[in-house]
Amino acid sequence: MMIPTLLLAACTATNVEGFAYSPLSLRPIVAGGPEATSTSIHMGKRKPSMKERRRQRAKKLPSATVDRGILNELPSVDTWEKTDASVGSKRESIPTSEVAEEDNAAITDEETSIDEETEETFAKASSLVQAQRKSVDCLTHVRKRVEESFPINEAAKGLAEKGYFVYDGFLSKAVDGDSENEDAALGDEMVSEMLSESSSMLANDKMQRDITRIADGEFVAQIVGGENYVLCPRITEYVVSITRHLPPLLNKEYDVIGAGDLPKLDSAASMGSLRLYDRKTKLGTLSFLANPEDAASDDSVSERPFGVVCGDSDGTENDSRRLTAILYLSSKEWDSSNGGGLTMETDGQKVEAIRDRIVLLRSDVCSHRHEPWLGSDDSGLDQASCAIVHFIQG
C-alpha cells in the first residue's frame, strides 16, 4: 500500500503547477518549490472575487488629485441660491396662472356652446308644443261653435225654404257665461289670424290671380293641407273641423224637419279654397285697362251675372258639391261701403261681407251674385278675404 502513495507524490512533484490547500488561504505554488508537499491538493485556477477585480481596476486607473482651494472657495450649503438652468437644459414652460386661465376659458366656451344648444332645443320644443296646443284649441273651438252655438234647426229650415242661411259671429259671437266669452275671444283671434294668413300667402306668391275677374284685384288658392298646412294653419283647421262636424248635424236635422229632397252631405271630404281682394292690385290693373281719369275710380267695375256654384244643369249632374259655406274675413271696420258680399237672385236679398259672417247656400240651386270688393285706402280696409268650403254629396 505504500508504493502507490509514493508514486503519486513523485508525479505531483514533477513540473506541475497547482494550488496548495491551507485552512487560511489559497495561494499559487510551483511544483518543486519549498511549499509543495506530498499532501498538496491540486485543482483548477480560481476566479477572482468582485472585490479583488475592483482593486485590480483601481490600480490600473491614473490617480486624480483634487484642488482643495476650489472647494474652500465654494459657499456653504446653507447659503446656496437657486439659479437659472443653462440654455441647453432649460425647459420652456407656461406660467400656471395662464394655463389655468386658458383652461377656464375653454371650459367656459364649451359650457356656453352647450347652454346655447340646450336653450335652442328647449325653444324649438316649446314652440312645437305651443303650436300643437293652438291647433287643438282651434279645432275644438270650431267644433263647439257648430255643436253648441250654431242654430242648426234654423239653418236647415232656411236651406230648405230659401236655399241659403246667414249667421253672424260664427266664431266670435259672445254668449252668456265667462267660459263662453273666453271662447269668443279665442274665435275673434282666430278670425284675425286667418285674415293675416291670407295676406301672408299673397305676399309670398302662394295665391293665383283670378283671371276671370282680372280687373277686380282678386286672388284664389286651394286649401289642401299636408305640406301646405304651414302656410295657413288656422284656415286649414277651420276647413277640417267644420267639414267633420257640420254635415252630420245638418243630415240629422233634414230628417227632423222632413226635408227629404235635400241631399245628404259627406263628413269626410270637402273642397276648401281661399279668395282674397287686394285694392292696390285692383287700382294698378285699372290704370292699364281704363282711361287715365277713371284709373282711381271703382265705378268702372262691371256688374257680375247671377249663377249657381255648380253652373248650369249639365254641370250640376257632373258636380258633387251640394252645400257651400262662405266665411268672411275682414277688419272690424269693414262695412257695406267697402263692397263685397252676395246678392240673392230669388228674393234680391243683399248679404254684406261683414267680419265673421257665415253664409250657407245650396250649391246646386241657389242663384246668387258675388258683389265686387271696394275697400279704401284706410288702414285695414285695403284687403279682405273669405274662406270657402264646398261640402260634397255623401
Side-chain angles (χ1 to χ4, degrees):
M1 295 300 296
M2 294 297 294
I3 295 174
T5 304
L6 294 174
L7 290 174
L8 177 62
C11 293
T12 305
T14 305
N15 298 328
V16 177
E17 295 182 356
F19 286 91
Y21 174 76
S22 174
L24 299 178
S25 64
L26 291 175
R27 57 184 180 276
I29 59 175
V30 180
E35 297 180 348
T37 63
S38 60
T39 59
S40 298
I41 298 176
H42 298 274
M43 54 195 312
K45 188 175 181 179
R46 183 182 65 84
K47 293 182 180 181
S49 66
M50 182 66 70
K51 186 176 181 180
E52 291 173 344
R53 287 199 298 268
R54 289 176 180 173
R55 289 178 179 175
Q56 292 175 1
R57 285 197 300 269
K59 290 179 181 181
K60 293 179 181 180
L61 294 175
S63 60
T65 58
V66 179
D67 188 356
R68 304 300 300 178
I70 297 176
L71 297 177
N72 294 332
E73 293 178 357
L74 294 175
S76 61
V77 177
D78 296 338
T79 61
W80 284 6
E81 296 181 358
K82 185 176 180 180
T83 59
D84 295 336
S86 61
V87 175
S89 62
K90 185 184 297 183
R91 298 190 333 180
E92 296 182 358
S93 61
I94 301 175
T96 305
S97 60
E98 294 183 7
V99 174
E101 290 179 359
E102 293 180 359
D103 292 342
N104 292 336
I107 294 174
T108 301
D109 293 341
E110 183 176 359
E111 292 177 349
T112 302
S113 178
I114 294 175
D115 291 341
E116 291 178 353
E117 293 178 358
T118 303
E119 291 179 359
E120 183 178 357
T121 301
F122 285 159
K124 291 181 179 179
S126 177
S127 177
L128 179 60
V129 170
Q130 292 178 1
Q132 291 176 340
R133 289 177 178 175
K134 183 69 173 180
S135 178
V136 172
D137 290 343
C138 291
L139 291 169
T140 304
H141 179 72
V142 176
R143 177 189 61 79
K144 292 175 62 177
R145 285 288 164 163
V146 171
E147 297 178 348
E148 301 175 7
S149 302
F150 187 71
I152 194 69
N153 180 265
E154 296 179 14
K157 289 181 179 180
L159 292 172
E161 297 172 0
K162 300 184 298 181
Y164 68 92
F165 177 72
V166 181
Y167 181 71
D168 292 340
F170 176 66
L171 295 176
S172 60
K173 186 176 182 179
V175 295
D176 296 336
D178 293 337
S179 60
E180 287 79 3
N181 289 332
E182 292 178 1
D183 290 342
L186 175 60
D188 186 70
E189 180 183 355
M190 186 174 177
V191 173
S192 297
E193 291 185 14
M194 293 169 72
L195 176 59
S196 177
E197 290 172 358
S198 304
S199 301
S200 178
M201 291 180 65
L202 177 62
N204 291 291
D205 295 328
K206 301 301 181 180
M207 302 191 74
Q208 299 176 350
R209 187 74 174 269
D210 186 357
I211 58 176
T212 63
R213 303 173 183 175
I214 191 66
D216 295 346
E218 296 186 19
F219 297 82
V220 294
Q222 300 299 315
I223 306 301
V224 296
E227 296 180 353
N228 293 329
Y229 168 80
V230 296
L231 300 176
C232 50
R234 301 293 87 84
I235 297 176
T236 304
E237 291 154 4
Y238 162 77
V239 172
V240 170
S241 191
I242 197 172
T243 301
R244 175 65 181 85
H245 301 290
L246 183 59
L249 295 180
L250 282 176
N251 292 338
K252 182 179 180 180
E253 200 64 29
Y254 289 161
D255 295 335
V256 172
I257 66 176
D261 60 329
L262 294 180
K264 297 299 177 64
L265 306 174
D266 190 349
S267 62
S270 66
M271 303 176 186
S273 62
L274 180 68
R275 181 172 291 273
L276 178 136
Y277 164 73
D278 182 66
R279 179 174 172 79
K280 293 181 179 179
T281 301
K282 177 182 179 179
L283 296 180
T285 304
L286 291 176
S287 65
F288 288 99
L289 301 179
N291 296 325
E293 57 271 13
D294 298 331
S297 174
D298 295 317
D299 298 334
S300 59
V301 178
S302 60
E303 190 176 75
R304 299 173 180 176
F306 287 99
V308 297
V309 173
C310 296
D312 54 23
S313 59
D314 294 336
T316 302
E317 295 177 358
N318 299 321
D319 197 324
S320 60
R321 293 178 292 180
R322 290 298 179 265
L323 181 68
T324 299
I326 304 174
L327 180 67
Y328 288 101
L329 309 171
S330 58
S331 66
K332 296 180 180 180
E333 293 76 19
W334 194 280
D335 56 25
S336 59
S337 64
N338 299 119
L342 302 171
T343 299
M344 305 301 175
E345 184 178 18
T346 54
D347 56 6
Q349 178 69 35
K350 292 186 179 296
V351 182
E352 299 175 1
I354 297 176
R355 174 187 174 92
D356 198 20
R357 168 175 283 178
I358 189 170
V359 179
L360 301 182
L361 53 88
R362 295 178 60 181
S363 308
D364 53 342
V365 299
C366 182
S367 180
H368 61 285
R369 178 177 66 198
H370 287 274
E371 300 298 335
W373 306 82
L374 301 177
S376 71
D377 296 332
D378 296 337
S379 177
L381 297 177
D382 57 339
Q383 286 185 345
S385 64
C386 59
I388 304 173
V389 180
H390 300 289
F391 302 95
I392 63 177
Q393 186 170 0

